[in-house]
């Protein structure tokens, strides 16, 4: 079973700053099956990035994803107050899906 | 625009069976997507429960496989979850979601329904 570890647990930044969120897999995974979601309070998760680096429809270009193997990164440039949320990574391997425990992003 | 909506009891007794249904509207359940259940305990990350294809093929989370059954009713355009022998650890918000194989991602989610296991 693959384990995804996200860091940091909480990130507190100001508007306009850059956020860097990390997700590390316990074994190498295909970047084609690596995904990021954004979840705001009281809402279901929403698709942000798929295939490690492709933005979902309607996602602003200040969100970008990168990485391969075991290390993946979500970068949010020019933070806006609406970016406050919990961000989850997820991977698909052989008909099984795993989520990370999340990184909470706070906007000061 | 496809919409998903979960329904079912909000309270289930320990050792009982949790049963939920997801209604799919605005699109076809035979669209080539897989249809999943995902749960999220309060304050924790999501956990994938399992998925079903319109033809009836299923995949389950190995940690829940012995207690889970997912079925589809194409005539009613809905799919269902049964989770047996529940305990307090099964208390969570339960979501149904659409999995798109090409993107390998959930691109559509229901609003979620809170299920509490308690006597």
């Amino acid at each position: 079973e693959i384990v995804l570890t996200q860091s940091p647990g909480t990130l507190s930044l100001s508007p306009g700053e850059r956020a860097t969120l990390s997700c590390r897999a316990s074994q190498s995974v295909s970047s084609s099956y690596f995904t990021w979601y954004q979840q705001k309070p009281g809402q279901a998760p929403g698709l942000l990035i798929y295939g490690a680096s492709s933005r979902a429809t309607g996602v602003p270009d200040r969100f970008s994803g990168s990485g391969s193997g075991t290390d993946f990164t979500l970068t949010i440039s020019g933070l806006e107050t609406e970016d406050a949320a919990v961000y989850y990574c997820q991977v698909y391997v052989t008909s099984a899906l795993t989520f990370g425990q999340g990184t909470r992003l706070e906007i000061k | 625009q496809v919409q998903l909506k979960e329904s079912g009891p909000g309270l289930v007794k320990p050792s009982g069976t949790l049963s939920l249904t997801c209604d799919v509207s605005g699109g076809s359940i035979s669209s080539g997507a897989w249809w999943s259940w995902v749960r999220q305990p309060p304050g924790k990350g999501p956990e994938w429960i399992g998925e079903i294809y319109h033809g009836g093929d299923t995949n389950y989370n190995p940690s829940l496989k012995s207690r889970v059954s997912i079925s589809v009713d194409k005539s009613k355009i809905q799919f269902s979850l049964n989770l047996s022998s529940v305990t307090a650890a099964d208390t969570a918000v339960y979501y149904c979601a659409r999995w798109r194989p090409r993107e390998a991602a959930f691109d559509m989610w229901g609003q979620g329904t809170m299920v509490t296991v308690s006597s």
Side-chain angles (χ1 to χ4, degrees):
Chain A
E1 178 189 350
I2 291 181
V3 176
L4 297 178
T5 302
Q6 294 187 240
S7 61
T10 302
L11 194 54
S12 184
L13 295 169
S14 298
E17 291 190 304
R18 171 180 293 185
T20 302
L21 287 66
S22 174
C23 181
R24 175 163 290 177
S26 58
Q27 60 190 78
S28 183
V29 301
S30 170
S31 58
S32 297
Y33 299 132
F34 191 88
T35 308
W36 289 96
Y37 299 90
Q38 176 193 64
Q39 186 176 32
K40 296 184 178 182
Q43 297 183 16
L47 179 60
L48 266 182
I49 301 286
Y50 64 93
S53 60
S54 297
R55 276 186 299 275
T57 302
V59 174
D61 60 7
R62 64 178 183 275
F63 290 88
S64 63
S66 63
S68 64
T70 60
D71 292 299
F72 296 85
T73 300
L74 174 68
T75 302
I76 312 171
S77 303
L79 281 170
E80 300 187 4
T81 55
E82 65 186 36
D83 298 333
V86 180
Y87 293 83
Y88 293 100
C89 56
Q90 175 234 293
V91 69
Y92 169 81
V93 177
T94 318
S95 301
L97 294 156
T98 302
F99 289 88
Q101 83 280 14
T103 289
R104 180 177 303 277
L105 175 61
E106 300 174 347
I107 309 298
K108 297 176 185 174
Chain B
Q1 174 81 347
V2 170
Q3 292 188 320
L4 308 177
K5 186 172 183 179
E6 307 87 351
S7 61
L11 181 65
V12 181
K13 294 186 184 305
S15 78
T17 296
L18 181 159
S19 297
L20 297 174
T21 296
C22 181
D23 287 302
V24 181
S25 61
S28 172
I29 206 166
S30 303
S31 61
W34 286 74
W35 304 92
S36 277
W37 287 97
V38 177
R39 70 181 182 179
Q40 187 170 27
K44 295 187 177 181
E47 178 183 32
W48 175 70
I49 299 170
E51 63 184 359
I52 190 164
Y53 196 63
H54 65 82
D57 290 345
T58 54
N59 294 302
Y60 298 128
N61 186 324
S63 68
L64 298 170
K65 190 173 184 177
S66 63
R67 299 194 291 130
V68 173
S69 175
I70 298 176
S71 59
V72 64
D73 187 330
K74 287 186 282 188
S75 65
K76 294 183 179 178
I77 321 178
Q78 63 182 202
F79 60 105
S80 299
L81 168 70
N82 282 327
L83 180 66
S84 63
S85 304
V86 296
T87 69
D90 295 309
T91 293
V93 176
Y94 284 74
Y95 296 99
C96 56
R98 182 176 74 178
W99 174 262
R100 297 296 293 237
R102 189 182 73 171
E103 294 84 358
F106 294 113
D107 71 332
M108 193 67 59
W109 297 68
Q111 64 189 19
T113 187
M114 180 69 200
V115 179
T116 301
V117 179
S118 175
S119 55

